[in-house]
């Protein structure tokens, strides 16, 4: 299994410093919807403290948690790829403090500093690969539980 990657610690020092120049400190109270699947993805966050659940709407009344994120984790990657729409929803599970980044500003900085852009894309890809692996495991687990119940 791949290991969990933290965006800010994975970036080279100089690129991390440049990215942090765009950081804005924000907080979300417990049980706050941060974004909804299908909404415009124009920012991302690095969680400093607290917990966020990523979820997928499976019926009109039911959401399924697909990942739980905590300190150091990247929240949001859809800002990086067209059509810039959230693939999941996100809700704070507790009080959350985070660094918020404006997606278009980070993309512009990535054009100006190609090493930052490459480092950012590679790191986000590693994060996504890890999350995909974890999600696959959860799906297999759910499938096994469901099959036993038949």
């Amino acid at each position: 299994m791949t290991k969990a990657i933290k965006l800010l610690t994975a970036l080279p020092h100089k690129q991390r410093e440049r990215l942090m120049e765009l950081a804005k400190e924000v907080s979300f109270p417990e049980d706050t919807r941060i974004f909804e699947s299908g909404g415009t993805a124009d920012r991302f966050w690095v969680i400093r403290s607290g917990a966020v659940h990523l979820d997928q709407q499976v019926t009109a009344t039911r959401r399924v948690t697909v990942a739980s994120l905590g300190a150091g984790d990247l929240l949001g990657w859809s800002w990086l790829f067209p059509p810039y729409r959230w693939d999941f929803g996100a809700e704070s599970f507790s009080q959350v403090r985070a660094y918020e980044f404006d997606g278009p500003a980070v993309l512009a900085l990535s054009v100006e500093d190609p090493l930052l852009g490459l480092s950012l894309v590679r790191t986000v890809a590693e994060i996504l690969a890890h999350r995909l692996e974890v999600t696959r495991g959860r799906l297999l687990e759910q499938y096994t539980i469901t099959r036993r119940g038949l």
Side-chain angles (χ1 to χ4, degrees), residues 35 52-56 64-69 75 88-90 131:
F35 55 83
V52 173
H53 288 181
L54 293 179
D55 57 48
Q56 184 67 54
V64 173
T65 297
V66 296
S68 297
L69 307 177
L75 172 59
F88 301 101
R131 288 190 189 163

Side-chain angles (χ1 to χ4, degrees), residues 140-150:
L140 288 171
E141 198 175 278
Q142 284 297 317
Y143 176 76
T144 302
I145 292 168
T146 302
R147 295 282 298 164
R148 281 190 215 143
L150 293 180

Side-chain angles (χ1 to χ4, degrees), residues 56-124:
Q56 184 67 54
Q57 191 83 36
V58 293
T59 68
T61 58
R62 184 166 178 246
R63 289 186 172 112
V64 173
T65 297
V66 296
S68 297
L69 307 177
D73 286 333
L74 171 69
L75 172 59
W77 53 267
S78 299
W79 62 274
L80 190 53
F81 306 103
Y84 309 109
R85 297 277 177 217
W86 298 118
D87 287 314
F88 301 101
E91 185 169 338
S92 58
F93 184 68
S94 64
Q95 170 77 26
V96 171
R97 292 177 43 224
Y99 293 118
E100 181 178 87
F101 298 88
D102 177 87
V106 172
L107 290 172
L109 181 60
S110 295
V111 170
E112 178 187 314
D113 182 346
L115 185 56
L116 171 63
L118 178 61
S119 296
L120 193 58
V121 169
R122 289 182 73 171
T123 302
V124 171

